[in-house]
Structures are given as C-alpha cells and as structure tokens.
Amino acid sequence: MYADEICRMMVWSRGTAPATHDDAEHGSDPLTREWLVTNGLGGYASGTISGAVTRRFHGLLISALPAPLGRTMMLSDLSIRVVTPDGKVYQVGGQEPWLDETSAEVIDLAEFRLEAGLPVWRYEGAGMVFERRLLLPHGQNTVHVTYTLLEGAGPVRIELQPWVNFRPHEGALDRPVAGPYALTVVEDRYELASPSDLPPLRLQVQGARAEFRIESDRLRNVRYRIEQSRGYDAVGEFYSPGRFSLELPVSGSVTLVASTEAWETINALSTEEVQRAERKRRTRLLLAAAPEVRSGPPAELIFGADQFLITPAGRVEDAARARAGGDEVRTVIAGYHWFTDWGRDTMISLEGLTLVTGRHTEAGYILRTFAHYVKHGLIPNMFPEGKNDGLYHTADATLWFFHALDRYLTYTGDRETLRFILPTLTDIVEHHTRGTRFGIGVDPKDGLVRQGEEGYQLTWMDAKVGDYVVTPRRGKAVEINALWYNALRLMERWVRESEGDAASQRHGAAADRAKASFNQRFWSEEKGYLYDLIDGEQGTDDAFRPNQIFSISLPNPVLDPARWKGIVDQVKERLWTPVGLRSLAPGHPDYKPKYFGDLRARDLAYHQGTVWGWLMGPFVDAWLKVYPADLAGARSLLAGFPPHLDEACAGSISEIFDAEPPFTPRGCVAQAWSVAEVLRAYARTARSAG
C-alpha cells in the first residue's frame, strides 16, 4: 500500500459560480474551498483552491519562528505568466484580477486533487496543460512550488513573480508593507530582507536556468473577502522585488523554493528528493495506522491528523529538558489557521491523532511534555502565539489529561510513563481536593468539583465577548464532574498497582462519594436528563446540552446505567446532526441556528446551538454502550463527514457547523479534535464493540 493511492479529486469547468457573500466563509466552489499543507513545526501554507487570497492566513510560506516571533507570513503569493513563441501572454489561474495587469488570457483551473493529502492543481487552456504541486519538507520552514508543462506545442517562457508582506500571520492587514526590503543576490541565491528582526526570505529556482528581472512593485488595496465577512480589517498590500524568467519545455518542470532556513538546509535535498522523501513518510504514516482506517475517508484523515502534530519552534528550554531525559517535545496545534497548542484540545485529540494512527512514541512525548507544564495542579489551557509560557485558565484540560494517559496505557502498556507521571497526578488530585486557582476545587459538602472566577471561561464552552463570558457555567458543571469521577477511578487503579490497596482506598472512597452525589444532584426526574450546571450563580441550569453525554461515554461512566438509554435517545433526537452535536437544543431562548457575522455575533452563537464535530466521538461511544450490537447504526452517525472532506479545507474537518441544514462549515477549516474524534469513531465502529 502506498500513500499516493489515497487520492481525492475535484473537477471544475470554466465559469464556476462564486459563493454568495453570506456564504463567503465556506462555499462549494474553488473560490472558497481551501487547502492546507503543514511542516511539523507549526508552520504551514494555505489558500483557496482557486488561488484567491481571502484570509490574512493565506500564503505559501508561514514560517514557525522562535519566540517572540511566532508564526510569520513570509511568502504571500506567487503569480505565473506564460509567454508563447508567438508572443501571446497567458495567466495561469484567473482568480486574482489584481495580478492580471496586462489583461492576459487565462489558463483555467480544470482539476484539483489531493494525493496522499498533498495538493495538485491542473490548469488547461490555449492548447497547454500545466500542473502545479506544493509541499513543505517536514521539519523545515521551506516551501517547494513546482510547475510542470504537461502538454503544449513547444517550449514556452514563464515568469514567476513572488509577492510578500512580512508580518505576524494573524497581524493587521491595514498597515503599510514593512520596508524598505533589501534584495541580495549571490549566483542563483536570492535573499529578501526587511529592517525587522525577521530572518531573510531565501528564494531559489530549481530545475531550469532562470533570469531575474528587478522590477520593484507594490499591490495596494488587496481585499480579503473572508476577513471582511468576519468583521476584521480586510485590505492590505503586497510587495514584489521582481520576476524570475525561464524557458520551460514540454514535460519540463521548474520549482520555486522559498525558505527562512539556512542555505545548507535548503540545498541538502533537491525538489525531486524532497518529494520522494515526503511520499515515503506519508506511506509510513498510512502503514503505521490501525488497519481499520487505512482506506477510504479514514485514510485521508490519517494525513489530516499529521497536520496537527508538531515540534514547537523556539521552546529551547523545554527541548533541552526533554532531550536530557531521552524525550522530544511534542504538542498539538488545536486548529488552523489561528489556534496555537491548547491543553484541552491536545488531551481530547491524543487518541485519534496518535494512538489510532500508530504514533505511540509521539503520544508518550506529548504526555510527558505536558506533565512538565503542570502548575498548581493544572495543565496549561493554551500557549499564546510567540510565547514560551502557558495560560492555565481551564477546569477540564487537566482532567482530560487523566483520560488521555489511560488511553495511551491501553494501547501501549507503557508502565514506565505511568510511574513517571503518577506523582504529578497525585499532586493534581491533592490540589483539586484542597482547592486551586480560578475557584477550582472539591466541595466538601458533596465531593463534587466546582469551578469559576469572574471574567474567566474555564470549561470547553469558552466564548467571551470583551469582558462578557457568554456561557460562564460557574458552579458545578456536568462534564467536569464526569471527568473528575473518571480520574478518581483511574487513580484508584493506578495507585493500587504501584502502592497497594490501602493507598488506593482514598481515591475509591472519593469516587464513590462523587458518584452518589452526581446521580442525586444532576439528575432531573421531571425532565429525564441531566442538568448542565448545579449550584450556579443563577441556581440550576436545565438547558439541554451535549455535556451530559460524557457521564456515559467515558471509560468509567458516572451515571447510573438505568438512565443511559433515555439520555442517548434524547441526544440523538435533539442534538445530533450528520456532522456533530448541537451545543444547545433548538427551542431554548438562547439557541442560535447560524454562526455568522462579526466577532461578537459569532461568539454569542459559538456554544448556543452551533454544531461541534468533535462531539461525534463521545456520542458514538455512548451509542455503543446503549446499543452494543449496532455497529452499523453507529457508523451511520458519521455519514456527513465524507462529503464534508470536499468542503472548507479539502481532506480535513472543520471546527464547527451551523446548527441547521445545510450545516455550513464555520470557524477553523481544520480542527484537531474534529479530525481526531471522527477518525477514532471510524476505528471504533469498524471493530467489535468493547
């Protein structure tokens, strides 16, 4: 089996209608569908299939640079013009009108495909067929963009023009391009530098002898249509130092290499060698994964999962400490384009991203990395862009840490890692029992965990508009206590293994008390489901939300089994959609059917009905606990994801979706826990229920 056998193809004809403004974020045409390639460091390349730049995050090289720089836009775009022997000028790809200053005819996009998750474009017109390929060598801030003339009457002259705007990848667009840029040329090596602390952008043409024509140019009023629809600044500038010009024969290829690495690294491998190495790497990824997911849509998600696993750039002290102990630093990018690594997302995603895919060593790296980050009994909620220190404002990420370790041990049996982390877990339980930061702690009255501090959003429902926390959930949240019970039962077992029955009894007693209180206090006999929050600022919250599903889905379910079926059936009826679960049931006064508009409008809808793809994983787990023989029914719950792989970001799964048909994808176009939990659910529904 070879990775190239996993291919997704999309065909277009000239004149494909653009999306409406209302659906500017994610439509079904090449102007709004997107692609993503990553480099294992947190850097990436991304854009629309058409070539139109519609987000501030669209570019051909976003380098992951050491703190305090963070991810940085280095190569924004690359335009290509073709000059035939009779003097006619053509533009390859026609979605960027501001690049077509010569009114050149267009060689149109005819086909886009993903080969082993890597993008390939095919352009046809004027008797010529061009192919474009793009990849980032793993572990490098380098991009290779290759053009091949597949068909034509003879050699043609092509011109490649790079466009830049050095800036933080999430930075403002409405500021003038940094400058002045300085161009340095030594033989075939070109370096473009700015007066900032950024490394230079190094450019080189491989595969053909190229001339460079210095023609300093600026493009003003570049409009980013998705940024505009989301209420952000949406007009920026590009700068170009000139054009590469070369002759390309039929069947000939030429590659523009752009990088912030040293020349020795850039030239260590040719483009052909880089391509072969990446194909081999992806084949190894495919063969390492569980057999149940090596074909069809799950196989595509193996490559999607790979995009989120990174060695974080710039955390020098962390890397030194890890290597001293024989480890490597690994973490998970929560979502592209704007998320960094988040503790909660990492722990929820760990099984799907690393264990189902056979990347057990990296799973161990991640767990041991985060064990070092624990402070005050908490793991970090997130690491801000360009920072080495994490933020700890989370009540659930630390409890998901127990779950992730349990899944890791189930797959690997690695008791050495358990022995290494167990003292940290003991410290976590003690901090929670005494009480720790942000009001997180066990209530001695009932043994349940309460949490909350003014101005902080501590659960996964974490939207905040200015100082307004949309779903504060201060009090005792249902999923926090399901996770707490699961953690106590795991600690009871792990401590028994290492220290004996007597030492484990306190964890067992705490679990028994939490379970009794949970079933007494969270269950609503009148409504037949679990309250979302008790002992809150406004008392009890009886909103019907998906958070109650964790009381069934976790390996140690806290809810009385007699109540499982009623909840699962109601969740199926009221919250389930083909692409995940609604975050709030229709009919509630706060229910929002659509996630759209400026930041305030979006955040007000974020957890008030909006569908979350990652919730499909725990729902499948709960379904199979209630209906253990219904593997076919559980698999049918995932029916919306294969067609979604053609939407938003090709080959990946979005963060969220509108709450009503057609369930338009929204938010991040590629989200770690969405990919991870759907991939895990595919594996779960392919084998006997356990």
Side-chain angles (χ1 to χ4, degrees):
M1 178 182 292
Y2 294 94
D4 287 351
E5 298 173 18
I6 309 300
C7 184
R8 175 166 293 272
M9 184 177 296
M10 309 175 195
V11 178
W12 283 279
S13 60
R14 187 180 180 93
T16 302
T20 64
H21 176 77
D22 188 53
D23 286 331
E25 186 171 350
H26 298 310
S28 59
D29 65 274
L31 192 61
T32 56
R33 293 184 186 181
E34 299 177 52
W35 56 270
L36 173 70
V37 182
T38 64
N39 67 2
L41 300 172
Y44 62 92
S46 182
T48 63
I49 290 173
S50 71
V53 177
T54 62
R55 295 185 189 270
R56 72 186 63 236
F57 306 99
H58 284 167
L60 301 185
L61 179 62
I62 294 86
S63 289
L65 302 177
L69 297 173
R71 288 178 289 181
T72 304
M73 180 70 66
M74 297 301 298
L75 179 62
S76 296
D77 209 344
L78 177 66
S79 60
I80 174 172
R81 295 197 310 173
V82 178
V83 183
T84 59
D86 60 3
K88 289 187 177 179
V89 180
Y90 299 90
Q91 179 181 317
V92 178
Q95 295 294 344
E96 295 287 25
W98 42 265
L99 290 179
D100 184 16
E101 297 178 339
T102 61
S103 300
E105 294 185 41
V106 173
I107 300 176
D108 280 307
L109 174 68
E111 174 189 294
F112 174 83
R113 63 186 186 274
L114 292 178
E115 292 182 359
L118 292 171
V120 183
W121 294 259
R122 182 183 176 94
Y123 300 95
E124 298 179 359
M128 291 176 283
V129 177
F130 281 89
E131 185 178 82
R132 179 198 196 206
R133 293 176 179 267
L134 182 147
L135 68 82
L136 280 65
H138 193 70
Q140 287 188 37
N141 289 307
T142 302
V143 64
H144 291 240
V145 186
T146 301
Y147 287 93
T148 303
L149 178 58
L150 297 177
E151 298 178 18
V156 297
R157 192 145 197 89
I158 69 170
E159 296 179 344
L160 300 173
Q161 186 169 15
W163 298 92
V164 302
N165 180 2
F166 296 174
R167 58 173 174 81
H169 78 139
E170 82 281 25
L173 300 170
D174 54 0
R175 297 174 186 171
V177 171
Y181 290 96
L183 179 66
T184 304
V185 182
V186 179
E187 295 182 341
D188 64 343
R189 300 178 176 185
Y190 298 78
E191 293 191 359
L192 189 64
S194 72
S196 67
D197 293 332
L198 295 173
L201 177 65
R202 297 182 169 97
L203 300 167
Q204 187 179 56
V205 172
Q206 295 184 1
R209 182 177 177 83
E211 300 173 350
F212 188 80
R213 185 183 310 154
I214 297 177
E215 291 181 348
S216 181
D217 196 6
R218 288 180 185 263
L219 291 168
R220 295 177 171 84
N221 299 318
V222 177
R223 177 173 169 260
Y224 297 74
R225 64 199 301 266
I226 290 179
E227 300 300 313
Q228 183 177 25
S229 74
R230 291 167 64 86
Y232 298 123
D233 62 295
V235 178
E237 294 184 9
F238 286 170
Y239 169 80
S240 175
R243 310 169 185 256
F244 293 97
S245 181
L246 57 105
E247 187 174 88
L248 187 66
V250 177
S251 300
S253 296
V254 63
T255 300
L256 179 76
V257 181
S259 180
T260 53
E261 304 289 348
W263 281 111
E264 292 80 3
T265 301
I266 298 168
N267 292 137
L269 298 174
S270 68
T271 294
E272 292 77 11
E273 290 171 324
V274 167
Q275 291 173 341
R276 285 196 298 270
E278 185 62 18
R279 285 195 294 269
K280 288 180 180 178
R281 191 184 75 86
R282 288 173 180 257
T283 295
R284 288 196 300 270
L285 292 178
L286 190 63
L287 295 177
E292 300 91 342
V293 296
R294 292 182 193 163
S295 61
E300 296 180 68
L301 293 179
I302 293 172
F303 305 128
D306 180 60
Q307 296 174 329
F308 303 101
L309 294 167
I310 72 162
T311 301
R315 293 185 193 164
V316 178
E317 292 181 5
D318 293 339
R321 180 181 59 240
R323 288 170 184 162
D327 270 349
E328 296 288 339
V329 177
R330 293 291 188 276
T331 189
V332 171
I333 290 290
Y336 292 94
H337 305 89
W338 48 84
F339 282 122
T340 57
D341 45 336
W342 287 61
R344 174 190 301 117
D345 301 59
T346 297
M347 297 307 143
I348 291 172
S349 301
L350 186 104
E351 183 176 1
L353 296 186
T354 64
L355 301 176
V356 172
T357 60
R359 302 173 72 164
H360 301 166
T361 299
E362 289 171 279
Y365 288 160
I366 290 170
L367 291 168
R368 293 188 292 272
T369 294
F370 271 87
H372 282 296
Y373 293 143
V374 171
K375 293 181 181 178
H376 309 292
L378 302 173
I379 69 169
N381 188 35
M382 64 169 293
F383 288 86
E385 189 76 52
K387 303 291 185 181
N388 286 319
D389 296 327
L391 302 178
Y392 286 79
H393 52 301
T394 171
D396 56 348
T398 310
L399 302 179
W400 279 112
F401 185 42
F402 289 80
H403 174 72
L405 177 60
D406 176 52
R407 302 312 302 147
Y408 171 74
L409 296 173
T410 299
Y411 279 80
T412 68
D414 178 6
R415 312 322 275 185
E416 185 60 35
T417 289
L418 175 59
R419 283 192 291 272
F420 172 76
I421 295 180
L422 191 56
T424 300
L425 301 180
T426 299
D427 178 70
I428 289 171
V429 171
E430 290 175 353
H431 269 89
H432 279 68
T433 302
R434 296 194 308 264
T436 185
R437 301 182 65 192
F438 307 109
I440 300 168
V442 173
D443 185 343
K445 295 178 182 177
D446 56 13
L448 298 174
V449 173
R450 58 193 173 193
Q451 55 80 31
E453 185 171 309
E454 188 72 30
Y456 288 94
Q457 62 279 43
L458 302 179
T459 74
W460 80 273
M461 292 188 162
D462 57 359
K464 187 177 180 181
V465 180
D467 293 330
Y468 172 62
V469 177
V470 180
T471 50
R473 305 182 75 221
R474 291 189 284 271
K476 297 168 184 171
V478 64
E479 81 280 11
I480 299 296
N481 282 282
L483 286 162
W484 173 241
Y485 174 78
N486 184 61
L488 290 172
R489 286 298 183 212
L490 292 173
M491 284 296 289
E492 180 185 23
R493 186 174 80 233
W494 293 336
V495 171
R496 183 185 300 119
E497 289 178 11
S498 63
E499 302 176 33
D501 288 340
S504 71
Q505 286 178 358
R506 63 190 178 96
H507 298 297
D512 290 341
R513 188 176 185 216
K515 184 173 185 176
S517 296
F518 183 96
N519 282 276
Q520 177 186 0
R521 303 209 57 212
F522 276 98
W523 177 254
S524 170
E525 192 66 43
E526 175 189 358
K527 296 182 178 296
Y529 62 77
L530 295 173
Y531 296 123
D532 191 61
L533 187 80
I534 62 172
D535 295 346
E537 296 166 308
Q538 306 299 323
T540 296
D541 183 358
D542 63 359
F544 192 85
R545 293 188 182 273
N547 302 308
Q548 59 190 307
I549 207 70
F550 296 104
S551 67
I552 304 168
S553 65
L554 289 167
N556 296 286
V558 66
L559 184 63
D560 184 337
R563 295 166 173 170
W564 290 1
K565 185 177 183 300
I567 286 181
V568 167
D569 288 348
Q570 286 191 71
V571 169
K572 175 64 165 62
E573 178 183 354
R574 302 176 68 181
L575 300 181
W576 177 84
T577 77
V579 286
L581 300 185
R582 296 182 180 95
S583 48
L584 181 64
H588 191 281
D590 294 331
Y591 177 74
K592 303 289 190 303
K594 193 169 185 177
Y595 178 89
F596 192 76
D598 63 17
L599 180 60
R600 177 180 176 81
R602 296 196 312 276
D603 279 347
L604 289 173
Y606 205 31
H607 301 101
Q608 304 289 48
T610 296
V611 171
W612 290 77
W614 78 274
L615 293 171
M616 191 67 86
F619 183 60
V620 165
D621 291 335
W623 184 270
L624 288 174
K625 285 187 176 180
V626 173
Y627 303 105
D630 188 23
L631 284 173
R635 173 58 68 92
S636 72
L637 297 172
L638 309 175
F641 291 107
H644 172 61
L645 297 183
D646 275 346
E647 300 178 316
C649 184
S652 194
I653 299 178
S654 295
E655 176 189 12
I656 52 177
F657 303 80
D658 283 347
E660 302 293 340
F663 306 114
T664 301
R666 306 287 187 183
C668 280
V669 295
Q671 191 79 0
W673 59 10
S674 298
V675 170
E677 283 296 274
V678 171
L679 182 57
R680 186 181 68 80
Y682 270 116
R684 182 81 170 85
T685 56
R687 55 179 178 252
S688 298

